[in-house]
Amino acid sequence: MLSVQSGLFRFLLLILITFAASISFMTEIKANNYSVFVSNGITREINQFFKVNKNKYSKIFILVDENTLKHCYPQLVANVPAFADAEIIEIESGEENKNIEVCVQIWSTLSEYSADRQSLFVNIGGGVIGDMGGFIASTFKRGIGFINIPTTLLSQVDASVGGKLGIDLNHLKNEIGVFNNPLAVFVDPAFLNTLEERQVVSGFAEMIKHALISDADYWKQIKKVDFSNLENLTKLIDTSIKIKNKVVLADPFEKNMRKTLNFGHTIGHAIETHFLEQENQAPLLHGEAIAVGMICEAYLSNKVSGLSGKELKEITTFILSVYKPVKIKENNYSRFLELMQHDKKNEKGKINFSLLSAIGKCKINAGATADLIKESLNYYSEQIKSK
Ligand SMILES: NC(=O)c1ccc[n+]([C@@H]2O[C@H](COP(=O)([O-])OP(=O)(O)OC[C@H]3O[C@@H](n4cnc5c(N)ncnc54)[C@H](O)[C@@H]3O)[C@@H](O)[C@H]2O)c1
Ligand SMILES: [Zn+2]
């Protein structure tokens, strides 16, 4: 009898496990006064948001670019009844459109369509749409509510928490902006299926960074990444958002711990800006430059903050297995250093780094000499040569 019961029990357990596995993943991450929902099937959570906030909004405005209008909006509007009567505002894609002129056009459209304080603004797109749309909503009539539906990997894992909103001024990135939070953020990896692979891989650099600065177990999972099924990224995306959220909640205004998020970015930003300055060279995507920066800064970490040689090798090998090599010329080193002098983390003229003491541990306000920085760039070049 006992064996029949335990057999039945095992059978029921198996059904239960199979059923649980078939229910798609969903988590709610509590950010600063709002939630980030991560799900394979996000329209459920969006509809729930409108159910809870029934009849609250006088009008809904949706900001898209031509790519998210084509690839993301149709499946959202088909499944979210609240979007059926929304006004669609379409802008041209690209960082060059994240500027005040485009804001003026959108603010004017909002006025023309009688948007009021009870209107809701919905951003469907990558970081450009999220940063600028959030800024527009936060400033229109002193601020209307907005939600974000990030559709690139970078915007899902990086821009979904932290409250940084804004636009570029001339060529200065994010020069104008505010800190403000959306009412909710809805993340679904399914959107990534139509994103160019290069963009996916670029966004992944921030996830590598999250693992390196704070979670050695997460690093092990990151190393097993499989880009062939993007919906498998859900758990990794969820972990990344949780890591960034924890850091941001502990230090919202970047006084200390939040600086750890700059790992790879001091050198990476300089390389990114330098490539933008070259007319005869195609620009690097943000994550591609940060990948180079992380290898160089891992080298600095080995020299300055105690990262072991073994872990330096492990980081270098993994990053080079994901990213294409970037040619860096020695005669550009002085320009890189000049650009690093302008980094926002510097204090009293000293170039400040966030460096690793081990995989999963990061130290802020670490210094490195110009010679050592050049050495780290040489290290990168040697590594790509010997690959
Ligand atoms: N606020 C923050 O904390 C934060 C963090 C990181 C980056 N950012 C900002 O984000 C911006 C970069 O964001 P990004 O990398 O998402 O770039 P992006 O918004 O320019 O998007 C990249 C490209 O992908 C297209 N696209 C977006 N979603 C798509 C989809 N699902 N399918 C097909 N195409 C799609 C876009 O139209 C665009 O051409 C920068 O301006 C940066 O400053 C902000
Ligand atoms: Zn970054």
Side-chain angles (χ1 to χ4, degrees), residues 35 109 114 122 239 326 348:
S35 289
T109 306
S114 312
V122 180
T239 307
V326 177
K348 299 179 190 131

Side-chain angles (χ1 to χ4, degrees), residues 65 67-68 71-72 93-95 98 125-129 131 151-152 154-155 158-159 161 164-165 173-174 191-192 194-196 199 244:
D65 63 27
N67 295 319
T68 58
H71 298 298
C72 311
S93 65
E95 183 75 27
K98 193 177 140 182
V128 167
I129 292 279
D131 278 16
T151 59
T152 63
L154 181 72
S155 59
D158 198 0
V161 285
K164 288 185 180 176
L165 307 170
K173 271 197 78 172
N174 303 323
F191 290 121
L192 306 178
T194 55
L195 190 63
E196 277 179 24
Q199 294 279 356
K244 177 156 183 194

